[in-house]
Amino acid sequence: MGTPRTTVWYEDVQEGEEASPLSIESITRTHIVRYAGASGDFNPLHHDEPFAQRVGYPSVFAMGMMTAGFLGHMLTDWMGLKNLRVYRVRFLSLVWPGDDLTCKGKVVEKHIENGRGYVHCDLTVENQRGEVVISGYAKVELPLNGH
Amino acid sequence: MITMEQEKPAEILVTLPIEPGKIREFARAILDDNPIYRSAKEAASAGFQGIPAPPTYSVVSAFFQESGSRLDVGLDMRYTLHAEQEYEYHIPVVAGDILTGRSRITNRYEKEGRRGGKLVFVTVETVYENQIGQKVLTVRQTLVQTSKTAEK
């Protein structure tokens, strides 16, 4: 799912440019449980339905970090893991089983500072109703190709 | 049984070994089939000295901690949600590294919620160093305790 780009040069990235979105159709409890095992996050709100309902939620819901992981996956496919300098997310809405998620990115600014090329990106994850469940930001340092 | 008021540590140390199997498991959980997470050769051709950790991989420190060694943030976890997460990447983290993180509470404040009720925010900062003492990663996690609005 998603194809990482090979070397991304500073000169090849333009302000306003958008990433190819990463879509995940229908989040399942299996996605959530697999992430629980991988991360070690066994907060029962994310896997124990009777517990979640007892404290007032309609069902279990995904860890914010799982969705942040999907967004990070989109980001590293787009800009390259090695180039990442800052990655920040704010969790705005909960993600429920059955939700469809789309991870998006857009270059908002680029500049050269002390001979290094920096790119600033706005990031979002939206659900099937168009609600932003995560808003994020990344600062990326891209190599200059010297042309 | 006598319950004693425990002295809450202001700072805790966490150990985070970077392991290739755990990286592969984590990459699968974020649906990332990038070959750099599975093959040392692919990682090398992408410029890494070993299989690298994905950007949010340090959450697996939860898996490696003993249950008694968590930082007490003083929130009721039944009503606590994750508000923000921030990473600063200083040096690549690769399989074989052993990181030591120093976690402490750096901010705590209260705010009125939009639908009434008090929200309590706590930020925990963890600075990770690798086995040769280089600062590799800074993580800031902000949690929010709602005033039990989820309660029926």
Side-chain angles (χ1 to χ4, degrees):
Chain A
M1 182 182 275
T3 308
R5 294 205 286 188
T6 48
T7 307
V8 188
W9 300 99
Y10 177 79
E11 289 80 357
D12 296 336
V13 170
Q14 305 306 327
E15 289 179 6
E17 176 183 319
E18 292 184 16
S20 21
L22 174 70
S23 297
I24 298 110
E25 278 179 28
S26 196
I27 296 299
T28 62
R29 287 167 179 77
T30 305
H31 285 121
I32 296 170
V33 169
R34 188 187 288 131
Y35 188 84
S39 66
D41 181 349
F42 284 99
N43 182 333
L45 288 173
H46 304 305
H47 64 263
D48 184 339
E49 198 111 342
F51 179 91
Q53 291 177 344
R54 215 158 45 235
V55 296
Y57 293 101
S59 72
V60 294
F61 55 94
M63 307 78 170
M65 287 308 298
M66 183 179 89
T67 309
F70 297 153
L71 183 60
H73 165 192
M74 185 285 294
L75 175 63
T76 51
D77 278 355
W78 185 32
M79 289 291 171
L81 174 65
K82 204 173 197 319
N83 302 324
L84 205 51
R85 295 295 172 268
V86 175
Y87 175 44
R88 182 163 68 220
V89 288
R90 292 184 67 198
F91 302 101
L92 302 177
S93 286
L94 297 178
V95 171
W96 304 97
D99 280 357
D100 300 328
L101 300 178
T102 307
C103 303
K104 298 179 178 179
K106 186 177 182 173
V107 173
V108 290
E109 195 204 321
K110 58 182 276 191
H111 68 273
I112 294 176
E113 193 182 310
N114 301 325
R116 294 164 180 263
Y118 293 103
V119 171
H120 302 266
C121 308
D122 276 354
L123 309 169
T124 56
V125 182
E126 291 177 12
N127 66 17
Q128 69 280 11
R129 292 179 294 277
E131 296 161 348
V132 177
V133 299
I134 285 184
S135 78
Y137 160 83
K139 179 182 180 183
V140 176
E141 181 185 343
L142 294 180
L144 304 166
N145 73 11
H147 287 173
Chain B
M1 189 171 152
I2 301 165
T3 309
M4 293 179 59
E5 185 72 20
Q6 297 266 316
E7 193 68 27
K8 289 172 189 167
E11 184 177 277
I12 60 157
L13 287 179
V14 295
T15 302
L16 176 57
I18 311 298
E19 299 175 348
K22 198 70 190 158
I23 290 174
R24 187 188 281 222
E25 181 189 17
F26 189 82
R28 189 165 291 173
I30 58 168
L31 310 175
D32 197 335
D33 54 13
N34 192 329
I36 62 172
Y37 299 132
R38 300 195 307 271
S39 150
K41 200 175 149 201
E42 294 282 350
S45 61
F48 292 100
Q49 295 186 346
I51 291 177
T56 58
Y57 180 79
S58 64
V59 295
V60 310
S61 65
F63 168 78
F64 287 104
Q65 298 328 303
E66 300 304 328
S67 58
S69 64
R70 300 274 173 82
L71 193 67
D72 185 350
V73 292
L75 300 177
D76 183 339
M77 296 315 283
R78 289 173 303 169
Y79 306 104
T80 295
L81 296 170
H82 198 169
E84 288 184 41
Q85 185 85 1
E86 179 178 44
Y87 298 90
E88 286 178 42
Y89 305 98
H90 311 298
I91 292 177
V93 170
V94 297
D97 283 350
I98 298 172
L99 307 189
T100 303
R102 205 171 277 276
S103 287
R104 63 198 176 93
I105 293 172
T106 53
N107 201 2
R108 185 186 175 95
Y109 60 97
E110 295 182 2
K111 216 161 92 172
E112 283 302 309
R114 273 175 300 177
R115 285 165 292 190
K118 190 179 69 175
L119 303 176
V120 185
F121 291 83
V122 173
T123 300
V124 176
E125 181 182 271
T126 306
V127 178
Y128 286 98
E129 289 187 355
N130 64 15
Q131 62 281 7
I132 54 169
Q134 296 169 309
K135 185 165 123 175
V136 294
L137 175 69
T138 304
V139 183
R140 291 180 198 92
Q141 179 184 53
T142 301
L143 301 172
V144 57
Q145 178 188 282
T146 61
S147 50
K148 312 194 177 181
T149 45
E151 202 165 39
K152 275 177 187 165

